[in-house]
Structures are given as C-alpha cells and as structure tokens.
Amino acid sequence: MRKILFLLTAFLLITTVKAQILDPVKWKSSIEKKSNQNYLLHFDAVIEKEWHMYSQFTADGGALPIEIVFKNQSGNFKLIGKAKESKTKTTFNDVFRVNETYFVNKAHLVQEVSVSNTKLKSIEATLNYQACKDVCINLEKKFTFAIPAQEEAEIAPILDTVKVDSVAPGPEKSVSSIKLKAEKTVVSKPKEEHKKGLWKIFFLAFLGGFAALLTPCVFPMIPMTVSFFTKQSKTPAQGKRNAVIYGISIIAIYVVLGLLVTGIFGADALNALSTNVWFNIIFFLLLIVFAASFLGAFEIMLPNSWANKVDRQADKGGIVGILFMALALAIVSFSCTGPIVGTLLVESASKGGIAPIVGMLGFSSALALPFMLFAMFPSWLHSLPKSGGWLNTVKVFLGFLELALAFKFLSNADLVLQLHFLEREVFLAIWIAIFGTLAFYLFGKITMPHDSPLPHISVGRLFMGLTVLTFTIYMIPGLWGAPLKLINAFPPPVEYSESPFGVGNSETNNTTVMLPTGAKSGPHGITVFDDYDKGLAYAKSVNKPIMLDFTGFACVNCRKMENNVWSEEKIKSILKNEVVVISLFVDDKRDLPKNEQFVSKSTGESIETIGDKWTDFMITKYKTNTQPLYVLTDLKGNSLNIETPTTSYDPDVALYEKWLKTGIANYK
C-alpha cells in the first residue's frame, strides 16, 4: 500500500516539477579510440545539489535504473560488456524495502563498442534515467558520437558533433569542417594562476582594510573600544580574551558578506559578470557615487535605527554582546568602509569562485587586527597618532582612487561593445586629469569640503604628492603611443586608440600596410586574424603553424601578456615571422547571424554571439575557459606541444619562448 501511495504522489508531482525543472542533470560526452575497431563512449554527468540519479545496477523493485539504448546497432557495432560506472552510493529505501544504488554530484559511464562497419560515421545513443530529490523525474538524453577518422590520433575526444568553424557554426556544420582533434590536455597552470590570483586579492583587500582603518569613521574607534575592554573586564586576561572575540566577530561579519555575494550570484556566474556590459556600467556609476562620497559631496550611511537596535543588543554583554559590538562598528563606520567594501566586492566578484570570500577575509583581518593587538597591549595606544585632519586626507585620497578605478569599468564596457567611445588617449587623459588634481590636493593647492585649515604640509604628504605627480607625468607620453608597462592592465590596448601606429604615423606609411586578407595589425605590429577560417587558409598558404590566442577585450591578464611578454624582441620576432596568430575574443558580444546560432552540445548553452562561439570552442576542445589561453597547432588542428598542449598567463618570458620554440620545432 505504501508503494502505491508513493507512486501516486510521485506521479502527481512529476507533472508540475517537469514544468519547472528542465533537467537537474547536465551531460557531456566524448569518444575515445582504443584500437582499430574498438572505441570507448564516455558519458559524463553533473548532478545538481540535493539531487541523485540511479545506477544501472540498482536493485529491482526500487527506482528506475539508468539505461543506455543504442540505435542501428545490428550489423554496425556490438557492445563489449555492460557500461562501467564511477563511484556510487547505496542506501536502504523504506518505501520499496530494497537497497538502492545511485550517483550524487557527478556520474561517469563508459561503454566499450566494437565497430564492424568501416563506413559507419557515428553512433547514436539514448540515455533513459531517473533523477530524484523530494520527487522523482523520468528523463532521457540523446547523444551522437562522431567516429574519429583513421588518420587522427589514437585518443581523440569529440564532443557531440561540436559546431566550430570560422565565423559561426550553423546546425549543418560539424567538427569535421576544421578537422578538430582534441588531446589529453594538461591544464595545471590555470589552477596555479587561480591560487596566485586569490593571494593577490587577499593582499589587496588587506591593504583596503588598512586604508579603511585610517579613515575618520574607524580610527577614533580604536582607543574607545580598547578602553571599553580594559575597563569593563574584571581581569586583564578577560579583557584580552574579549578583544580577540571582538576581532574574530568583525572578521566573521565581513566573511559572511562575501559568502552572501557568492551565494546570491553563484561562484561560476561571477566570472562571467566581468565581461558583462551592464555589470561594468552599473559599477562605473556605483564607484562614481562612492568617489563623490569620499570627496565630501555627501555621506553614505545606513539607517540610524539599525545602529540603535544593535547598540541595545551589545549592552547585554557576554559573547553575544561582543558580536553585536562588532556589528555596531560595521554599521557606524559604513560611510567610510562601505565604498571600500563595495569596490573590493566588485573587483573580487569579477574574478569568480570564492574570490569575494577571500577578499572580505583580507579586508576584515586588517580591520580587526589593530583592535585585538591594542587591547592585548594597551600601552601601545600612546604610540598612535592623534586624530585630526589627516584622517580626512586619507578619505579624499581614496576618493580619487575610486574615481580612477570607475573608468576602468566603463572602459571594459566600451571594449566589449567595440564602440571606440573611450579609446586609449581619452582614458589616459582622464587619468592624467584625476591624478594631476590629486597631486595638487596633496600639495595643499586644492581643498575639499571637510578639510581642516592647512597652514603647511607635512614631509610625508609632500613625498606622497611628489610620487603622484611623477606617476602623472609618466602617463603623458602614453598619449603619443608609449606602452606604459607599469599600468598596461588598465588602459585600453595601444591598437584601440585614435592613433594605433603612434602619433605622426598612419596606416598608409606604416610597414603593416601589406596585411594578408582578413588580417589586422595587432599588439606591437604583430599580424593577427580574428577569423579562424581566414587564419587557417593563410597558414596553409605560407605553411606555418598556428597559435590560437583565446583572449578578451576586457581581459587584464591578456593585456599583461601582450605588453610584457609579446613586446620582448625575441617573442615578437617569433609571433611575427614563425607562426600565424589567430586571436579569438571570448567576450565579443556581436550577435551571430540567426542561421548560425545553435545550442552547445557540450554545455547546453545557447550560442548567440561570436564570443559565445569561441568560448564553446575553448571549453569543448581544451576543457577550460581560462583567458588568456595559448595553443600551438598544426594545419589540422592538432596540438604541437605534447607535454603542455596549452599555456596561460605566465610573465616568465624564457618559459614562454621555450614553449613556442618546442611547438614550432615539432611542426618542422
């Protein structure tokens, strides 16, 4: 009876759930050549959180097992045994009274087949499976495995007739149009770079926390808070313990904020936001507001009622009271810390993953550490500088930095849309104006609304002013084409300017006038193609290997590689003379023609723009979406570097040169 009730309930709910959930299981597939006749068909699944999918070996009388059904098997191929499975779990089901075997999070099935028909071009299969959470859904997924040609490598994963060609793959075009051959790809560097990136975010966020500490809203709170702990605690040990709890509470509050940002947007989605036009425009406007606040136009404050309610909770004492004291600090100091926290969250969110959490950990650590240390060693308070007008100077200084950073986000949007509204010269002119004005401010020639009277400037302020003035003068030659390596990650690239060949030079009198059809002059005069087919055709005509450059208009690390590594004479010579560079921009938001748009068989996403197409190409063939990504290939699409088929951001010029020369030598 319980079985009947369970099945009836499931049946009634399935009709509503199916309308809301397309499929809690995302599939990818590939084919691997084992011998002349035998192939391994791989089915890879990612299962949504809290869902599970049943194994083909689950017990009879329970849930429905996964089943692989092959089409046109007779006379074409035969199955070698049953499909092998990855790790599963087994638990007892009280309803069906059987042990059920199922997958959680991920699943991998491998079916070996022996092909007898030498003319067979593909194998079609259908997966029937059941996914369950609170209810169960019966689903099916169709796959097509393109059998690799005999001349291809022994191991060649081909993902479901992946559409990739020059401008945009249409429904009728398949992977064979450019002879794709994917290899086992070693992608260790992106992981290493990701770790380095997280440490960089932590360090920058730590500096941001230290800067917030030196603002009028936070700095005066240090002696007040330390005095509270030392006077209210019964013993010095208790005071130190409470101060440590207070510091940990501050860290916890900001880390929770980072968790909320990651949880709301999703770790994977955050990275995609970095090239989203609306994301960049919104945060340009947000940073302008933050900058205006720091410069003294107004104060961004949370409602006073929030602070009053928290203060009443803090009066209760104990660990809970200390936690609310930390929360009160966060609320009261928001007018100073809010813009810094907002900027850090924006910057770290664009990196994706756990970057917002790491950023808030760094920021809060710098903010909390002084409160803990001065409470543990109260005598240090005598060494603290007195509060005064210098605190507002710090705040104004941060306002100018916020203003400069805001235009980086506007530049990203302009680059992605290729509007040429904020070209390199205009961007640099804005920065020169901002930092030039900051230098005048530090020299005391300009005052802001909340500044104290300044009869003279300190030696430290003079040195800071000289540093900012030097930086301003350094940027001026950039208006005439200077590379500006110190800040190359921020302004648009040299070729995205009014004078891409430098002031006084034009395309008509430049040596790059004799460009191949479909090519353009790229960084440092290197000839590049942004169309795969045209680049491939040219490479065949000159019999040179291809370097695929997966890049982005708003990719900071791409610009660093181009300005710091490609600019080296030995690298530039190789890229100009020994390879054909094809730059594929993954954030190109221009729409593909309607007849060339499709749904990716590897990710299930709609491919609607040129950038979508190149992103799908990169994920499908090289199993990563890291930018920059460099691949040296022959004229059939085969990677030339066997041990390290791809390389990513690495400022080591010698290592990059070795990688290039190894691939070119293998081609020859």
Side-chain angles (χ1 to χ4, degrees), residues 640-653:
L640 295 171
N641 298 75
I642 307 303
E643 293 183 1
T644 53
T646 67
T647 188
S648 186
Y649 173 74
D650 190 338
D652 189 329
V653 176

Side-chain angles (χ1 to χ4, degrees), residues 257-425:
L257 179 60
L259 282 168
L260 288 173
V261 170
T262 305
I264 292 170
F265 290 102
D268 295 331
L270 285 170
N271 187 46
L273 287 176
S274 63
T275 58
N276 182 277
V277 173
W278 288 111
F279 172 90
N280 282 282
I281 291 175
I282 288 170
F283 281 105
F284 160 71
L285 296 173
L286 189 63
L287 291 184
I288 291 292
V289 172
F290 287 164
S293 173
F294 269 172
L295 292 173
F298 49 82
E299 285 195 353
I300 302 173
M301 299 182 65
L302 294 175
N304 289 330
S305 59
W306 291 17
N308 294 334
K309 289 178 182 179
V310 170
D311 278 339
R312 286 195 292 269
Q313 295 297 324
D315 291 338
K316 294 181 179 180
I319 294 178
V320 174
I322 293 173
L323 176 62
F324 277 99
M325 280 184 64
L327 185 57
L329 171 69
I331 293 173
V332 171
S333 64
F334 184 80
S335 61
C336 291
T337 59
I340 300 174
V341 169
T343 305
L344 288 172
L345 284 174
V346 170
E347 189 63 26
S348 58
S350 67
K351 307 300 180 186
I354 61 171
I357 302 170
V358 173
M360 288 300 95
L361 178 63
F363 175 85
S364 58
S365 297
L367 198 64
L369 198 59
F371 286 95
M372 290 190 287
L373 290 176
F374 282 109
M376 294 174 72
F377 306 100
S379 59
W380 290 4
L381 285 174
H382 300 296
S383 63
L384 275 179
K386 293 182 179 180
S387 299
W390 67 273
L391 290 173
N392 192 67
T393 302
V394 172
K395 191 176 177 182
V396 171
F397 184 89
L398 292 174
F400 277 102
L401 295 184
E402 294 266 6
L403 187 60
L405 184 59
F407 284 94
K408 172 58 182 169
F409 287 94
L410 185 61
S411 174
N412 286 346
D414 183 61
L415 282 165
V416 169
L417 293 175
Q418 290 289 286
L419 297 176
H420 288 265
F421 170 72
L422 196 63
E423 291 181 320
R424 184 179 177 87
E425 292 91 344

Side-chain angles (χ1 to χ4, degrees), residues 526 545-549 561 565-581 630-633 640-641 644-647 652-668:
I526 298 167
I546 293 169
M547 189 185 85
L548 292 179
D549 165 32
M561 285 294 291
V565 178
W566 287 21
S567 61
E568 292 294 321
E569 195 58 42
K570 51 190 175 182
I571 302 297
K572 184 164 60 175
S573 176
I574 293 173
L575 298 181
K576 279 187 173 182
N577 304 313
E578 298 187 49
V579 299
V580 175
V581 180
Y630 306 109
V631 191
L632 276 174
T633 77
L640 295 171
N641 298 75
T644 53
T646 67
T647 188
D652 189 329
V653 176
L655 196 62
Y656 192 72
E657 180 188 20
K658 181 181 178 183
W659 180 81
L660 285 171
K661 287 185 173 180
T662 299
I664 294 169
N666 290 339
Y667 178 80
K668 292 178 179 179

Side-chain angles (χ1 to χ4, degrees), residues 461-478:
R461 183 164 176 165
L462 174 66
F463 283 164
M464 181 60 72
L466 289 172
T467 302
V468 174
L469 181 60
T470 302
F471 176 66
T472 305
I473 296 171
Y474 167 78
M475 288 190 289
I476 293 174

